[in-house]
Amino acid sequence: FSAEGYQEPQVAFVKTLTTKPVVSVGRFTSPDVMVSQIRRGIQDFIGAARPSIADPFLPTKIREGREDEIRECIGCNICRAANNEGVHLRCTQNPTMGEEWRKGWHPETMPTKKSEKRILVVGAGPAGLEATRALGQRGYDVMLAEASEQLGGRVLKESALPGLAEWRRVRDWRVGRIEPMPNVSVFRGNALSAQDVLDIGADAVVLATGAHWVRTGIGRSLTEAFSGHDLPGVFTPDDLMAGRVPETGPVVLYDDDNFYLASVLAEVLVAKGLEVHFVSSDDTIAGWTANTLDYRHIQKRLRKLGVHLYTGKTLGQFDGDTVRLDCVWSDDTHTLPATSLVTVSMRLPNDGLYQDLLAREGEWAAAGIGGVQCIGDALAPGLIVHAVYAGHRFAREFEAAPGENGDGDGVPFKRIRHRF
């Protein structure tokens, strides 16, 4: 069975026990699987909660034969995390989720363009792709410049890691929408300088150049670089995702991010035959994944892979042969043998181009540039959901009148006013 049909035997068994209509869930995203289960009598209705969050018009698109337009759920469970945190819903694929009433954002429609301005988007990661797609849908002429030969940025890199293949849908759906747009031009293999941007002469510039993982260990727990961070045996997630993996072990994998990435990288290292010591600065492993319901699965997976687990410790020193760990709660230390060290701590914006352009702001007008804006990870590194939202928000608010996306009194979103 496919991943979304793994419950089929159990559901089919339930169907034999009752004459009542049967409905099941299971993050169905493939119309073929849905229709197949109905026609074969496995169930009578398809339950599609998360897929309907990613695309509220899922049934309509299937009925009208527009399956290629469906924004497929990627199973990241950011929607579930929002529920667990008690905040309004978010979706990595659908940035309008939670903003339908607050800002009047419709999942399918966009306001039409207000001018003939040309917009340059630099960077084709999740923020840049969504900004380009949404601006293109509005009817603006958009130029998308990407330094590499492939579109997708961090989504493309992370989706190549174990268990994250479906995250590529974030990239694929947007590229699929962009490619047929006659008003959007895509330039791959173009690493632009500030002078290049000025020479292009766009009316507006959007910088979505992403972020990078630091090598120093600085993050939630460390405010200063650990000793030995500049040794050749120190790696970052960017190194591993680029194929630069430690050749020898044991490897200490330090996780100060507390989400999914470190556990996935541990699997990459184990697959290379390396002994892995997973060190968390938190009191638990991958603690934030309790919000996305991945926690139990990660715990079981790491233990099955034979990864050694340590909690409540930070990096103290690395000398190329050993790593000294410092206890978060006391002055105790612990030493582990390690020829390599992978740090998953903090990301910094790739905002060099933005800073260069700011330094030459006096030249913008002569170049025809009305404004330069930095968005997504290039402004404030976050999750993929935040980057997609930032790209969509820019496109929605470009040339919008004050209050146009809110309640008209200067507040950028509607809010309930209780009068007693």
Side-chain angles (χ1 to χ4, degrees):
F1 303 106
S2 68
E4 58 186 301
Y6 74 98
Q7 296 181 116
E8 183 172 310
Q10 291 85 353
V11 178
F13 172 70
V14 172
K15 191 78 168 72
T16 66
L17 301 178
T18 180
T19 58
K20 301 291 185 181
V22 173
V23 57
S24 80
V25 296
R27 196 167 62 84
F28 290 93
T29 59
S30 167
D32 291 336
V33 173
M34 299 181 203
V35 173
S36 172
Q37 290 205 2
I38 298 297
R39 287 180 173 173
R40 289 183 291 117
I42 303 301
Q43 57 181 309
D44 301 287
F45 299 96
I46 297 294
R50 286 175 293 172
S52 294
I53 293 172
D55 196 327
F57 288 81
L58 175 65
T60 299
K61 291 177 180 179
I62 294 176
R63 182 173 61 250
E64 296 178 354
R66 297 188 288 131
E67 292 89 349
D68 61 323
E69 297 181 22
I70 295 173
R71 279 190 306 272
E72 294 177 296
C73 171
I74 67 172
C76 66
N77 267 9
I78 288 298
C79 56
R80 192 69 179 89
N83 182 72
N84 284 332
E85 291 190 303
V87 298
H88 61 276
L89 219 55
R90 285 285 183 239
C91 176
T92 299
Q93 277 284 62
N94 177 14
T96 68
M97 176 51 59
E99 301 291 12
E100 299 91 339
W101 179 78
R102 285 186 1 126
K103 292 191 174 184
W105 291 2
H106 190 280
E108 296 292 304
T109 62
M110 296 281 290
T112 57
K113 66 179 181 179
K114 294 192 173 183
S115 70
E116 298 301 318
K117 289 183 177 180
R118 294 192 311 153
I119 306 165
L120 170 65
V121 179
V122 183
L129 285 175
E130 177 60 17
T132 298
R133 184 208 66 77
L135 287 165
Q137 184 181 350
R138 291 190 63 185
Y140 285 102
D141 286 332
V142 185
M143 298 171 284
L144 173 62
E146 166 57 36
S148 70
E149 293 295 334
Q150 300 188 73
L151 308 181
R154 65 177 291 191
V155 169
L156 195 63
K157 297 174 183 176
E158 292 189 27
S159 64
L161 297 173
L164 301 182
E166 292 185 51
W167 291 27
R168 188 179 171 115
R169 292 172 175 175
V170 175
R171 176 245 186 221
D172 290 350
W173 183 79
R174 285 161 180 82
V175 172
R177 303 276 66 76
I178 289 170
E179 286 179 341
M181 292 181 176
N183 54 318
V184 175
S185 302
V186 180
F187 302 93
R188 305 166 189 253
N190 278 268
L192 302 184
S193 66
Q195 186 61 54
D196 293 330
V197 172
L198 293 169
D199 290 342
I200 289 172
D203 297 296
V205 178
V206 186
L207 302 177
T209 45
H212 63 277
W213 291 91
V214 302
R215 200 173 302 273
T216 58
I218 294 175
R220 298 175 187 268
S221 304
L222 295 180
T223 57
E224 296 182 359
F226 67 91
S227 176
H229 70 274
D230 52 354
L231 293 177
V234 178
F235 297 80
T236 71
D238 292 323
D239 292 322
L240 270 61
M241 287 188 286
R244 297 186 295 273
V245 180
E247 296 181 358
T248 61
V251 179
V252 166
L253 175 59
Y254 173 64
D255 181 23
D256 196 39
D257 181 54
N258 307 143
F259 198 19
Y260 63 90
L261 189 58
S263 62
V264 175
L265 295 178
E267 189 157 346
V268 171
L269 295 169
V270 170
K272 295 292 184 179
L274 299 170
E275 181 182 0
V276 179
H277 296 272
F278 191 115
V279 177
S280 173
S281 60
D282 200 359
D283 285 337
T284 186
I285 301 294
W288 206 81
T289 62
N291 291 312
T292 55
L293 308 186
D294 300 310
Y295 180 77
R296 294 174 65 252
H297 303 290
I298 289 174
Q299 301 293 326
K300 292 180 179 179
R301 182 61 175 166
L302 291 179
R303 286 166 172 79
K304 183 178 181 180
L305 292 172
V307 175
H308 309 289
L309 305 177
Y310 309 81
T311 59
K313 293 177 173 56
T314 60
L315 289 177
Q317 182 181 17
F318 175 60
D319 61 12
D321 294 307
T322 60
V323 170
R324 191 196 79 226
L325 304 176
D326 297 334
C327 179
V328 171
W329 305 112
S330 71
D331 294 330
D332 294 344
T333 63
H334 186 76
T335 301
L336 291 173
T339 58
S340 301
L341 171 64
V342 179
T343 63
V344 187
S345 56
M346 180 181 74
R347 288 184 298 149
L348 290 177
N350 296 329
D351 62 352
L353 178 57
Y354 182 54
Q355 298 301 331
D356 289 346
L357 285 168
L358 286 180
R360 301 177 66 175
E361 187 172 359
E363 303 175 52
W364 293 1
I369 298 175
V372 176
Q373 189 163 334
C374 198
I375 65 171
D377 287 344
L379 177 65
L383 305 182
I384 296 172
V385 62
H386 303 133
V388 173
Y389 183 90
H392 191 84
R393 180 180 177 181
F394 175 86
R396 285 270 182 181
E397 296 182 350
F398 183 69
E399 294 193 303
E404 188 171 337
N405 290 306
D407 59 4
D409 65 356
V411 177
F413 54 84
K414 295 178 183 177
R415 70 267 196 235
I416 297 174
R417 292 171 173 164
H418 296 284
R419 293 183 174 87
F420 299 97

